[in-house]
Amino acid sequence: MYSNSRKLVFLDIDGTLIPKSQKMTEKTIQALRKAYDNGHILCICTGRTYCEMPEEMKRFDGIISAAGACVIWKKKILLAEYFSEKEKKQVEELLQEAAAIYTMEGFDDLYMKEEIYQSFVDRLEGCDEEEREVLKLFEKTNFCAETEKMKKVHKCSYFYAEKDGEWFRERLKKWDMNVSAFSQGETRGNSGEITKAAFNKGSAIRFLSDYLGIPMENTIAVGDSENDLTMLRMAGVGIAMGNALAYVKEAADDVTRSVDEDGVYYAFLKYGLI
């Protein structure tokens, strides 16, 4: 039985828990520990697939990965939604038409054709060191020559497309799929994440809240990017980071400081979690 004072808290990773340095600040770590000690339930809710998550994030009791396509509670997979073979083929053909660099993302692996990865490396050759850090996210990439070998794909990320998000959105909606801005790709041209429309962060936090028997009014969500919109709107309290885009802040109930200014810590402080 959960008391009304106990909160179920959903936290995005990139731009929320960790800045571009990929390291949580001491105050953020302190806030997480104190909130946990105070009896609140902390859950990760990220666009990253499980294999892309930092190991310390996998220690949380609740994990929502792949922008809502996978829900885990205490190491048990409660929900896992994948692209069908037809959807994978449709998405890949669309990405090829848009001349995009892309990766298919599964629970255990990332899948990318080797020639596409090399093109990605070439595009980043002239970028600064911070921008090249993105390559580290693809260290576990499993190079596949054929789409058919890309098993159990949750979602797809793409970069440097010759078409914009609206072009993708218009074509994907007929397949009940969606595209949102890539949360780690602000400067990598036209970039985005392709997912099944029915499975998003909002539907996932509802699913886990119902599983745990916790009413939505006892939930808090903290995020910064487009794929956080559904969870910010679904949660009892949706909090946007200070570094979030204007339309994300407008969709939230409140705005905290930026990730570099310990926004999670001050949000927890304001809402009595610590």
Side-chain angles (χ1 to χ4, degrees), residues 12 45-49 52 64-67 105 155 193 201 227:
D12 174 51
C45 192
T46 179
R48 298 193 191 201
T49 54
E52 298 173 274
I64 293 170
S65 62
E105 303 177 14
K155 60 188 279 282
E193 298 177 318
K201 288 188 177 184
N227 69 16

Side-chain angles (χ1 to χ4, degrees), residues 221-241:
V222 190
D224 72 300
S225 59
E226 185 178 356
N227 69 16
D228 295 316
L229 285 171
T230 54
M231 79 164 181
L232 294 177
R233 291 168 174 153
M234 180 67 72
V237 177
I239 304 171
M241 299 295 289

Side-chain angles (χ1 to χ4, degrees), residues 10-21:
F10 297 97
L11 298 153
D12 174 51
I13 293 180
D14 297 286
T16 300
L17 285 177
I18 57 176
K20 287 185 178 180
S21 68

Side-chain angles (χ1 to χ4, degrees), residues 17-34:
L17 285 177
I18 57 176
K20 287 185 178 180
S21 68
Q22 299 294 300
K23 293 181 180 179
M24 283 192 289
T25 66
E26 285 303 316
K27 272 196 170 181
T28 298
I29 294 170
Q30 179 186 348
L32 297 176
R33 287 174 177 166
K34 283 189 175 181

Side-chain angles (χ1 to χ4, degrees), residues 117-258:
Y117 180 80
Q118 188 55 54
S119 178
F120 195 17
V121 172
D122 293 343
R123 289 295 295 263
L124 291 173
E125 193 63 39
C127 297
D128 59 29
E129 190 61 32
E130 185 177 86
E131 185 65 12
R132 286 181 59 80
E133 283 290 304
V134 73
L135 288 175
K136 293 182 179 179
L137 297 175
F138 299 94
E139 287 176 346
K140 295 183 180 180
T141 300
N142 179 5
F143 296 123
C144 296
E146 303 297 334
T147 305
E148 287 72 18
K149 294 181 181 179
M150 301 174 186
K151 302 299 183 183
K152 293 189 173 181
V153 171
H154 285 308
K155 60 188 279 282
C156 173
S157 294
Y158 68 87
F159 318 91
Y160 300 116
E162 293 181 0
K163 307 293 184 180
D164 62 17
E166 193 56 38
W167 183 90
F168 278 98
R169 194 167 287 110
E170 283 297 312
R171 286 153 181 78
L172 288 166
K173 66 182 180 182
K174 63 185 176 184
W175 304 327
D176 293 322
M177 304 187 84
N178 189 36
V179 61
S180 60
F182 186 63
S183 58
Q184 304 155 16
E186 301 90 342
T187 62
R188 286 183 283 281
N190 289 322
S191 59
E193 298 177 318
I194 297 173
T195 58
K196 300 183 79 163
F199 298 88
N200 53 57
K201 288 188 177 184
S203 64
I205 72 169
R206 165 70 75 178
F207 180 91
L208 186 54
S209 300
D210 289 347
Y211 177 82
L212 296 175
I214 299 175
M216 290 307 299
E217 57 262 32
N218 280 10
T219 65
I220 296 173
V222 190
D224 72 300
S225 59
E226 185 178 356
N227 69 16
D228 295 316
L229 285 171
T230 54
M231 79 164 181
L232 294 177
R233 291 168 174 153
M234 180 67 72
V237 177
I239 304 171
M241 299 295 289
N243 48 283
L245 294 174
Y247 66 87
V248 177
K249 293 177 181 177
E250 289 171 5
D253 299 302
D254 201 354
V255 179
T256 186
R257 300 187 190 187
S258 74

